[in-house]
Amino acid sequence: MYNLVIIGAGAVGLALGHYFQIRRGWKCLIVEQEPDYGLGISSRNSEVLHAGIYYPPGSLKAQLCLQGAEILYQYLELNGLPYRRCGKYILAAEGSEERLQQLHDQGRANGVLELQLLQAGALRKIYPELAPLAALHSPGTGVLSADSLMHHLLGEFRAADGDLALNTAFGGLEGRAGHFELNMVDASSGGTNALAAERVINSAGLGALEVARRAGFGYDAAGYELRLCKGSYFSVPGARGKFGHLIYPLPTDAGLGIHLRVDLQGEVRLGPDTEYLPGNTPHYSVDAARAAEFKSAVAQYWPGIAEFAIEPDWAGVRPHLYIEGVHHRDFFIRNESAEGADGWINLFGIDSPGLTAAMAFGPYIARLWGEPDDGSG
Ligand SMILES: Cc1cc2nc3c(=O)[nH]c(=O)nc-3n(C[C@H](O)[C@H](O)[C@H](O)COP(=O)(O)OP(=O)(O)OC[C@H]3O[C@@H](n4cnc5c(N)ncnc54)[C@H](O)[C@@H]3O)c2cc1C
């Protein structure tokens, strides 16, 4: 019998396995329906290590983003993994400066203390090509390689005797008495087998509500749904090395806005936009016809984009959680003990900053389970 089975081998599932297997010494199994780990949301995102500015004080996103960023920076540094604490600027047009001030105050209330407001035009000393807009500087924001992170987490997890089962989908929950009897489906043959676990964490990303449904939890009846919101990216091959910072517009209701992202190699990408997917079916092709829309959004803060060719790059899909038709903007983490399933945790709506927060979920869940403090924060 496993002490813990984790459903989903994305950044969150791998970080959970790493934490419980290594820090807690539990025997863990991570099950993943795909033929490899990390093929879901975790390999299709901006790879930004967020500082914790965007989330209301007291929210899980604020708490886990800050804790996660601290743990993650230490982990990346300690293990020689690629990252860059490059910093970012959030820009606001004349008349919207108040919104920057709000973000500044919210960030500080969350504990992001090194934020700095810049007057309109001050940024032009660093980037003359940017429009003269007011800016909020977040020096603690960074970029990382999600692939390297996941690869390293998995390597250490396996070295510590953790198990990973690929091509293995959670099919259903057969029994809850004392421990969980899980039904697993071999994704290639369709064959099934049974697994016993003392505890389970559902960290299945886009599939998390479906997993909860198969386990018999009544979220559908309670009006929970995951609305899939695609974000596309375009690359700007000619702008390589032109920017050293991340450049963001003000966030919108649906997302953080089409930003200018610089990766570890200095490549510039624009995105992601927001597009709710009809039929809630994920797909990842990027529509070249959106190029004009991207250019016009970015021209608000970088007029020079007009001179550059942009190319469709990749897309990711966010699992936006709606409860009775209302967007639940925070992470949703529920200990299902009240449902007679003591030891089962459901994670829903783990969208941005889920990559940044990944390493903070384990300590948080350990606390939910009443495990003794291990000093992880
Ligand atoms: C466009 C975009 C940009 C983003 N930018 C950032 C950013 O810059 N910074 C940041 O911090 N966060 C960002 N995020 C959010 C971040 O990428 C996610 O929060 C994080 O990757 C979620 O990880 P996960 O492990 O929960 O999900 P996933 O990586 O999707 O892993 C879940 C896994 O569960 C598996 N699964 C599903 N159903 C089953 C089943 N029945 N049985 C077995 N396995 C199953 C899936 O195959 C998948 O591999 C972004 C997200 C998007 C979409």
Side-chain angles (χ1 to χ4, degrees), residues 8 12 32-33 41-42 45-46 48 170 204 233 350-351 353-356:
V12 175
E32 169 55 54
Q33 65 185 1
I41 314 170
S42 301
N45 58 72
S46 298
V48 171
F170 170 73
Y233 294 84
I350 310 301
D351 54 8
L355 179 62
T356 308

Side-chain angles (χ1 to χ4, degrees), residues 49-51 60-76 144 149 331 353-363 376-377:
L49 219 155
H50 287 291
L60 280 174
K61 282 193 175 178
Q63 181 186 336
L64 298 182
C65 181
L66 262 91
Q67 286 170 0
E70 190 182 338
I71 302 172
L72 190 50
Y73 269 130
Q74 276 173 17
Y75 186 76
L76 296 169
L144 75 153
L149 171 67
F331 294 148
L355 179 62
T356 308
M359 296 190 80
F361 283 95
S376 306

Side-chain angles (χ1 to χ4, degrees), residues 89 118-133 135 245:
Y89 292 99
L118 304 176
Q119 292 305 310
L123 191 55
R124 297 201 92 194
K125 295 197 178 96
I126 311 168
Y127 292 116
E129 58 274 64
L130 292 179
L133 303 169
H245 299 82

Side-chain angles (χ1 to χ4, degrees), residues 52-113:
I53 302 167
Y54 294 108
Y55 325 107
S59 63
L60 280 174
K61 282 193 175 178
Q63 181 186 336
L64 298 182
C65 181
L66 262 91
Q67 286 170 0
E70 190 182 338
I71 302 172
L72 190 50
Y73 269 130
Q74 276 173 17
Y75 186 76
L76 296 169
E77 180 62 32
L78 207 69
N79 292 287
L81 297 174
Y83 79 96
R84 204 156 58 85
R85 204 187 282 253
C86 55
K88 88 167 171 189
Y89 292 99
I90 306 174
L91 307 183
E94 210 177 316
S96 306
E97 293 91 344
E98 204 179 310
R99 184 78 185 95
L100 273 191
Q101 182 71 51
Q102 281 167 2
L103 284 174
H104 169 271
D105 296 348
Q106 179 167 274
R108 283 190 65 87
N110 286 342
V112 190
L113 302 180

